[in-house]
């Protein structure tokens, strides 16, 4: 029981599944607080109430103040939090996972730690982008080459369709405004996608840092998974926004367009299914608070039991 508000902390099984949640909300220059079972956001325009349990990820931008009580509710409801830079670009920190179970995390660590299985998973992810081709015998170098050609072709196609000039992906993470409109739009769109993908990854108990294609970064797996959806979602949106002549805040307009594309929740369901498929596991509900002790001979044994007589 919550001693201050009188609200009982919900069981994980009672919370909305990750695939059933609203994708993301971006907040900046506002005060985030709590009123009963809802998050309140206050800025110069007034106050809005947000049921925390139905949001997949909250993106907190510059000028956002969050109370301890708000973070307590957000954590209890299994909502992911990502602290971002200006206009939602750059990732500074993130909050806790929805799942307390490590089954998928252990599977991910096993797959990424073996060269043969790591290549197999990487090929599976590339196969998802080349549905009508067999990539099972291609090397990682060949796969990277094919993917590079595919992405360049997508950029050229969108440039021709929208009339937006394309000279290449050029941007400075520390200077959003220094990029041209299309690169600004791409940065904003991709960051929104990264936040969403991150929230699903950690909600299922997977590690955002254990990537199969990308490596060496604490968001490597996020980049792996996000790359599966850029061609159909964020790249077309970015070119569409960049083609408009009356956009005052391209970062904001792009985020809104990405949010509109996510609004039906299908992308979260797809990411969830794809992650289970990539891990070679059937989709399942999040299991809460399952704790065992590891034994080198018996595998898993019950925790909370005195084993003194066996010592």
């Amino acid at each position: 029981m919550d001693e201050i508000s009188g609200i009982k902390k919900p069981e994980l099984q009672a919370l909305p599944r990750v695939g059933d949640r609203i994708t993301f909300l971006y907040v900046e220059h506002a005060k985030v607080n709590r009123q009963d079972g809802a998050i309140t956001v206050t800025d110069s325009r007034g106050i809005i109430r947000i049921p925390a349990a139905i949001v997949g990820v909250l993106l907190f931008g510059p000028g956002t103040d969050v109370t301890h009580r708000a973070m307590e509710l957000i954590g209890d409801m299994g909502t992911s939090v990502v602290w971002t830079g200006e206009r939602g670009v750059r990732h500074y920190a993130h909050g806790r996972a929805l799942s307390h179970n490590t089954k998928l995390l252990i599977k991910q660590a096993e797959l990424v730690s073996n060269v043969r299985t790591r290549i197999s998973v990487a090929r599976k992810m590339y196969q998802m982008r080349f549905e009508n081709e067999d990539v099972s015998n291609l090397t990682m170098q060949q796969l990277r080459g094919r993917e590079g050609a595919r992405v360049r072709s997508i950029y050229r196609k969108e440039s021709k369709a929208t009339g937006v000039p394309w000279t290449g992906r050029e941007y400075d993470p520390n200077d959003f405004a220094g990029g041209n409109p299309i690169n600004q739009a791409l940065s904003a769109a991709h960051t929104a996608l990264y936040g969403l993908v991150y929230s699903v990854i950690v909600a299922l108990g997977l590690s955002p840092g254990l990537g199969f294609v990308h490596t060496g970064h604490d968001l490597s797996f996020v980049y792996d998974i996000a790359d599966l959806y850029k061609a159909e979602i964020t790249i077309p949106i970015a070119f569409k926004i960049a083609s408009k002549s009356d956009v005052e805040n391209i970062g904001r307009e792009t985020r809104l367009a990405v949010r509109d594309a996510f609004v039906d929740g299908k992308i979260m369901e797809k990411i969830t299914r794809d992650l289970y498929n990539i891990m070679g596991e059937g989709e399942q509900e999040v299991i809460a608070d399952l704790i065992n002790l590891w034994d080198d001979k018996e595998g898993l044994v019950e925790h909370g039991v005195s084993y003194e007589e066996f010592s």
Side-chain angles (χ1 to χ4, degrees):
M1 180 74 70
D2 188 311
E3 295 179 356
I4 297 178
S5 66
I7 297 174
K8 184 178 179 181
K9 179 179 178 180
E11 298 293 332
L12 281 185
Q13 291 90 340
L15 294 173
R17 295 191 316 157
V18 62
D20 296 331
R21 296 179 175 226
I22 296 172
T23 51
F24 73 92
L25 291 174
Y26 176 77
V27 179
E28 66 178 14
H29 302 294
K31 177 82 170 183
V32 180
N33 210 327
R34 169 184 183 169
Q35 183 176 349
D36 299 326
I39 295 298
T40 63
V41 179
T42 306
D43 65 9
S44 59
R45 296 166 294 182
I47 302 175
I48 62 170
R49 291 165 57 92
I50 303 169
I54 67 169
V55 180
V57 58
L58 287 168
L59 302 175
F60 289 156
T64 303
D65 292 331
V66 188
T67 68
H68 182 278
R69 298 286 296 139
M71 286 305 303
E72 181 182 27
L73 177 62
I74 290 169
D76 287 347
M77 296 301 174
T79 299
S80 297
V81 174
V82 178
W83 282 267
T84 72
E86 188 175 8
R87 299 180 178 88
V89 178
R90 300 197 71 182
H91 168 282
Y92 293 120
H94 55 260
R96 60 179 292 183
L98 172 61
S99 175
H100 298 168
N101 183 268
T102 60
K103 179 181 179 180
L104 285 177
L105 176 60
I106 292 171
K107 181 68 175 291
Q108 180 187 14
E110 291 173 346
L111 291 172
V112 80
S113 300
N114 179 283
V115 174
R116 180 182 59 80
T117 56
R118 182 171 185 170
I119 292 175
S120 177
V121 172
R123 285 191 179 123
K124 184 183 293 187
M125 287 192 284
Y126 278 115
Q127 185 67 71
M128 295 167 69
R129 307 173 216 187
F130 300 97
E131 295 182 353
N132 300 319
E133 302 179 38
D134 181 12
V135 301
S136 60
N137 294 317
L138 297 183
T139 65
M140 291 300 293
Q141 292 87 348
Q142 290 171 326
L143 289 168
R144 285 196 299 270
R146 296 284 291 280
E147 173 65 1
R150 182 185 78 98
V151 172
R152 287 192 295 272
S153 174
I154 293 168
Y155 283 138
R156 289 194 297 267
K157 175 185 174 183
E158 294 298 330
S159 175
K160 182 178 180 181
T162 60
V164 175
W166 176 252
T167 58
R169 186 76 172 103
E170 300 171 354
Y171 68 102
D172 181 355
N174 297 312
D175 183 17
F176 177 84
N180 60 22
I182 180 56
N183 276 290
Q184 288 183 16
L186 285 167
S187 294
H190 291 340
T191 300
L193 177 61
Y194 294 151
L196 178 63
V197 169
Y198 158 80
S199 73
V200 179
I201 286 174
V202 298
L204 297 180
L206 292 159
S207 168
L210 295 181
F212 294 86
V213 176
H214 296 83
T215 190
H217 192 282
D218 62 352
L219 295 177
S220 292
F221 194 46
V222 173
Y223 300 145
D224 281 0
I225 302 303
D227 280 353
L228 300 175
Y229 315 110
K230 288 178 179 179
E232 61 180 295
I233 301 175
T234 52
I235 293 177
I237 288 174
F239 272 91
K240 181 179 180 179
I241 297 298
S243 68
K244 298 180 179 180
S245 59
D246 58 346
V247 177
E248 295 183 3
N249 186 330
I250 197 165
R252 180 177 183 277
E253 292 296 324
T254 303
R255 282 195 306 274
L256 291 175
V258 172
R259 189 182 67 186
D260 289 344
F262 291 167
V263 73
D264 61 5
K266 291 181 179 179
I267 182 63
M268 290 190 82
E269 294 177 2
K270 181 173 176 56
I271 295 171
T272 302
R273 289 195 305 269
D274 288 345
L275 282 168
Y276 278 116
N277 176 53
I278 289 167
M279 291 296 106
E281 297 283 340
E283 188 171 350
Q284 53 202 268
E285 295 291 336
V286 174
I287 302 173
D289 298 330
L290 180 60
I291 305 175
N292 293 289
L293 302 178
W294 178 80
D295 185 90
D296 61 338
K297 296 179 180 178
E298 299 184 36
L300 300 179
V301 297
E302 186 178 357
H303 89 294
V305 175
S306 174
Y307 292 96
E308 183 178 357
E309 62 269 28
F310 299 105
S311 61

